[in-house]
Amino acid sequence: VTAPNIPANPIIRELPDELISQIAAGEVVERPASVVRELLDNALDAGAKNITLRLMAGGVRAIIVQDDGSGIAREQLPLALKRHATSKIASLHDLEQVGTMGFRGEALAAIASVAECSVLSRVQGDASAWLLDARSGEISPAARAVGTTVEVKELFFATPARRKFLKTDATELSHCLEVLRRHALARPEVGFAVWHEGKLLEQWHASSLKQRVADVLGDEFVALSLAVAHSEGAVQVSGFVGVPDAARARADQQYAYMNGRFVRDKVMQHAVRSAYEDVLHGGKQPVYVLYVSMPPERVDVNVHPTKIEVRFRDGREVHQALRHAVARQLDAPRSHMPVAPQHSNLEVKTPDAAGLITQFAIDLVANESHQAAAQAAFNTAEQSSAQPYRPPAPAGYEVREISQLWSKPTAAQAVQADQQEPSVWPLGRAVAQLHGVYILAQNTQGLIIVDMHAAHERIVYERLKTQLDGARLASQPLLIPATFAATPIEIATAEAHEATLQQLGLEVSAFSAKTLAVRAVPTTLAQGSPTELARSVLAQLAQHGDSADAGSQVIERAQHDILASMACHGAVRANRSLSLEEMNALLRDMEATPRSDQCNHGRPTWRQVSMKELDALFLRGR
Ligand code: ADP
Ligand code: MG
């Protein structure tokens, strides 16, 4: 190991301006995309209504941003490139109230220190535009409408070491486009266009937020998302959150904005994630575009040179508002939505119902010519989609007797059910059970397929959660205690957690040195095996044992885990044949239960196959 090269008598010097800017550039300018971000910020701050981005070689050769904003006056041009020169704040008070994207006055100076840079600009009322060459400092008259064009060429040309860190042009381009998407989603009222190597890649006209989200993230994103509008204390939340079905393997469609600025913030990410906790399958990542706004003095945006991080005065305030905003949308059962969002699990790219039916057709027909026929049939069905399907007049159906397997309908529900035509039940009326696994039901749109175990599991789970919220689960003693041979750990856990077990409606105590006896079980789960239930709860308690000392969120999580595994024991097993009454009671329960579109593991509980899709399968109407 060689010692660092420290001179015997260190001399402290002031660094030259150029070097200071280059050091600052190390923080602000990492790659072409960082330049794009700064230039787009500036254009938006200047009040631009239309912004055009032109790139060469992924932005490494050239980045040009043209805007129709306020422009920069001739005498101000040299200042724009000076370090710590900004038109956006003048005092500490301004800094605390800052509403512009930039305010540090270092971006252009930093960029100009690591690239060839020029600024062409014209303000209202000036007879001509002016071009500033950053290298020479020369200003010359030029032609241009009101607004600004900033050109940044040969990024890192003077610092080859940094240039080496750049990836392929394609990768740099994709980073630039991601930056553009973030800005475009922040400002739907501004038009954006992007060109690469002379080719127009994207053009998004000024539009509504919904249209902009569709333009940038695709129609499918909008079709599979729920609109959020929520206000809590000083915090406002709006935007779109994807239904659990729309979640992705990667966290690549998560856009969060704080007071109009795209941010990556742990508190905000966690808040959204926790709203999905109960309905998301495995490691899937939710998709969302969320805008949070709050008084600027409650959030510090000046904690990071690129301002992508923020610091909240009260993180909990933001966390709660955001979590509630998202959960409120996710919790409501979606069977009531006029057109329930559809998405095939099969990762089919085609948006909405098209994916499901195409996959159906492809699964059903093995050889290629049939596939072509099925695709053609599907295309035809799409074209004729203008006329809605007219369902046949519903046959009368009465709920006569409800098995004790399901909850008895409340008086109000029963009255409602009596008055309602069966055809208006969102999940329809049951017509059959398939291989002891699926319930088939008919509703106005066509066929509903329900995974009965998954659906019932969710209903039992939600019922248990509600009961536990009200202190403890209702319990029912067993006539004959159920005993089982227990491990020492199980016996110890039963002793240590007696109170918790009671809260969960379970009474488990030692029967002999090596045997435990279950003496009471939760009323809701009275149908299942008491010993299996006790075993699984003891296992969960042993695992979560110490979380009683942890924060309330951890306790809640542990409780939910335990209730979820209890629900699994209480839920109807596959291969149990159900009567139509039982199936219908389950469907009505689903319509009334929060989060019933997903099972406890986040998988979907039901699917709609429309008549249109069925007709296409049979080539009807051709
Ligand atoms: P900041 O944005 O933090 O103020 P910059 O270095 O990005 O710092 O820009 C310096 C100044 O140059 C800005 O404050 C603004 O007055 C001016 N400026 C930069 N880009 C533009 C633009 N596209 N239109 C109008 N003025 C601009
Ligand atoms: Mg700026």
Side-chain angles (χ1 to χ4, degrees):
V1 182
T2 50
N5 196 4
I6 299 172
N9 297 306
I11 301 165
I12 303 175
R13 304 184 204 88
E14 281 193 70
L15 296 175
D17 249 20
E18 170 85 359
L19 186 53
I20 297 176
S21 288
Q22 281 167 344
I23 291 171
E27 292 180 308
V28 181
V29 187
E30 187 194 345
R31 57 184 354 157
S34 356
V35 175
V36 172
R37 182 190 59 227
E38 295 297 339
L39 299 187
L40 292 178
D41 274 355
N42 283 346
L44 289 174
D45 281 347
K49 288 279 150 266
N50 283 289
I51 302 177
T52 302
L53 167 66
R54 292 172 204 277
L55 303 164
M56 301 294 275
V60 180
R61 283 253 108 82
I63 299 164
I64 302 166
V65 172
Q66 289 170 288
D67 69 53
D68 57 358
S70 59
I72 309 168
R74 185 190 185 288
E75 65 280 6
Q76 298 268 300
L77 271 176
L79 277 175
L81 291 181
K82 253 190 99 169
R83 226 159 22 86
H84 306 310
T86 178
S87 57
K88 295 164 196 174
I89 60 166
S91 66
L92 184 62
H93 176 259
D94 289 354
L95 179 59
E96 281 165 359
Q97 298 290 325
V98 70
T100 49
M101 306 293 268
F103 54 79
R104 297 165 60 113
E106 62 187 1
L108 284 184
I111 292 167
S113 75
V114 291
E116 286 170 24
C117 190
S118 73
V119 183
L120 168 64
S121 195
R122 177 172 173 183
V123 293
Q124 192 74 50
D126 201 341
S128 96
W130 298 94
L131 176 69
L132 166 69
D133 179 281
R135 174 73 63 82
S136 65
E138 266 169 36
I139 298 182
S140 47
R144 199 204 185 283
V146 171
T148 305
T149 303
V150 179
E151 272 195 40
V152 177
K153 288 186 167 161
E154 304 298 341
L155 186 62
F156 301 141
F157 70 96
T159 47
R162 298 201 58 198
R163 190 152 185 160
K164 264 194 238 140
F165 279 99
L166 296 179
K167 303 282 191 287
T168 63
D169 291 355
T171 301
E172 296 305 335
L173 174 64
S174 73
H175 285 286
C176 292
L177 294 178
E178 179 60 16
V179 164
L180 184 75
R181 280 192 284 272
R182 290 173 186 176
H183 279 79
L185 288 171
R187 302 292 295 274
E189 77 285 7
V190 175
F192 290 86
V194 54
W195 299 71
H196 186 243
E197 303 280 347
K199 274 212 301 271
L200 181 64
L201 296 187
E202 299 281 6
Q203 179 150 34
W204 302 315
H205 297 289
S207 61
S208 67
L209 175 62
K210 192 170 180 183
Q211 183 58 48
R212 176 55 59 85
V213 173
D215 285 347
V216 176
L217 299 175
D219 292 331
E220 188 183 9
F221 186 101
V222 175
L224 291 173
S225 63
L226 309 164
V228 173
H230 181 74
S231 168
E232 192 169 323
V235 186
Q236 262 106 45
V237 186
S238 61
F240 294 91
V241 292
V243 298
D245 256 6
R248 297 159 73 88
R250 296 193 319 136
D252 57 351
Q253 289 196 341
Q254 302 185 340
Y255 296 88
Y257 295 84
M258 172 51 66
N259 289 344
R261 192 188 298 279
F262 177 88
V263 291
R264 276 216 177 289
D265 178 74
K266 289 257 156 27
V267 172
M268 290 167 68
Q269 284 168 346
H270 186 271
V272 178
R273 183 76 219 187
S274 67
Y276 277 93
E277 194 161 72
D278 224 9
V279 290
L280 213 53
H281 181 46
K284 285 234 164 175
Q285 295 289 341
V287 302
Y288 54 85
V289 182
L290 285 167
Y291 306 88
V292 183
S293 56
M294 58 196 299
E297 65 272 14
R298 302 187 71 80
V299 44
D300 188 356
V301 294
N302 187 27
V303 293
H304 192 266
T306 67
K307 307 172 218 85
I308 197 164
E309 287 168 20
V310 290
R311 192 178 294 145
F312 298 111
R313 190 184 290 176
D314 179 2
R316 259 178 327 175
E317 166 186 67
V318 182
H319 192 278
Q320 282 195 2
L322 200 46
R323 179 166 174 224
H324 292 159
V326 177
R328 220 172 71 170
Q329 294 310 313
L330 293 177
D331 289 357
R334 282 175 290 283
S335 48
H336 296 276
M337 283 169 59
V339 179
Q342 278 290 329
H343 190 52
S344 131
N345 256 351
L346 306 158
E347 295 284 311
V348 179
K349 282 271 156 25
T350 341
D352 60 65
L356 189 61
I357 183 61
T358 310
Q359 194 59 44
F360 254 89
I362 290 170
D363 285 351
L364 280 179
V365 288
N367 76 44
E368 276 184 21
S369 63
H370 277 105
Q371 279 192 23
Q375 186 63 47
F378 163 62
N379 292 342
T380 325
E382 274 294 281
Q383 282 154 21
S384 61
S385 64
Q387 304 112 320
Y389 184 81
R390 307 276 306 283
Y397 186 82
E398 244 179 277
V399 182
R400 281 185 304 267
E401 191 187 301
I402 309 253
S403 151
Q404 54 175 359
L405 194 56
W406 323 114
S407 65
K408 298 232 186 292
T410 63
Q413 266 176 339
V415 169
Q416 214 187 4
D418 265 0
Q419 290 169 348
Q420 269 182 352
E421 284 288 287
S423 63
V424 270
W425 290 333
L427 293 176
R429 80 187 150 84
V431 290
Q433 190 184 14
L434 195 64
H435 285 289
V437 177
Y438 297 108
I439 293 170
L440 307 184
Q442 166 180 328
N443 72 349
T444 45
Q445 277 120 58
L447 174 68
I448 292 274
I449 308 172
V450 173
D451 178 337
M452 69 181 201
H453 173 72
H456 191 221
E457 201 179 25
R458 168 63 76 174
I459 290 166
V460 175
Y461 176 47
E462 292 297 331
R463 201 172 291 151
L464 293 176
K465 275 203 287 188
T466 315
Q467 282 185 23
L468 196 59
D469 262 359
R472 54 185 300 156
L473 302 187
S475 177
Q476 170 175 322
L478 295 177
L479 283 179
I480 306 157
T483 57
F484 64 98
T487 65
I489 294 179
E490 285 171 332
I491 293 175
T493 311
E495 256 173 41
H497 294 281
E498 198 188 329
T500 312
L501 284 167
Q502 277 186 4
Q503 213 189 354
L504 295 171
L506 272 166
E507 206 180 301
V508 185
S509 54
F511 191 73
S512 72
K514 289 182 175 175
T515 321
L516 283 174
V518 187
R519 296 171 196 278
V521 293
T523 314
T524 312
L525 306 176
Q527 309 289 319
S529 148
T531 54
E532 269 177 45
L533 176 66
R535 276 215 157 106
S536 107
V537 172
L538 288 173
Q540 295 266 346
L541 278 177
Q543 191 191 326
H544 287 295
D546 302 325
S547 61
D549 310 326
S552 66
Q553 284 229 340
V554 179
I555 295 176
E556 192 182 305
R557 183 67 253 157
Q559 274 184 356
H560 286 183
D561 278 354
I562 294 172
L563 294 185
S565 70
M566 291 170 81
C568 184
H569 285 281
V572 59
R573 302 270 133 196
N575 295 323
R576 168 134 162 21
S577 71
L578 301 180
S579 69
L580 284 177
E581 284 84 356
E582 288 174 317
M583 292 190 251
N584 277 310
L586 177 64
L587 296 177
R588 304 293 79 78
D589 267 357
M590 287 174 68
E591 286 158 2
T593 302
R595 294 172 284 273
S596 58
D597 309 296
Q598 264 71 35
C599 79
N600 302 346
H601 317 287
R603 289 186 289 268
T605 55
W606 62 277
R607 294 290 187 190
Q608 170 92 59
V609 184
S610 72
M611 290 309 289
K612 208 177 77 184
E613 291 163 338
L614 289 171
D615 288 348
L617 265 189
F618 294 96
L619 316 184
R620 283 192 87 170
R622 287 190 73 202

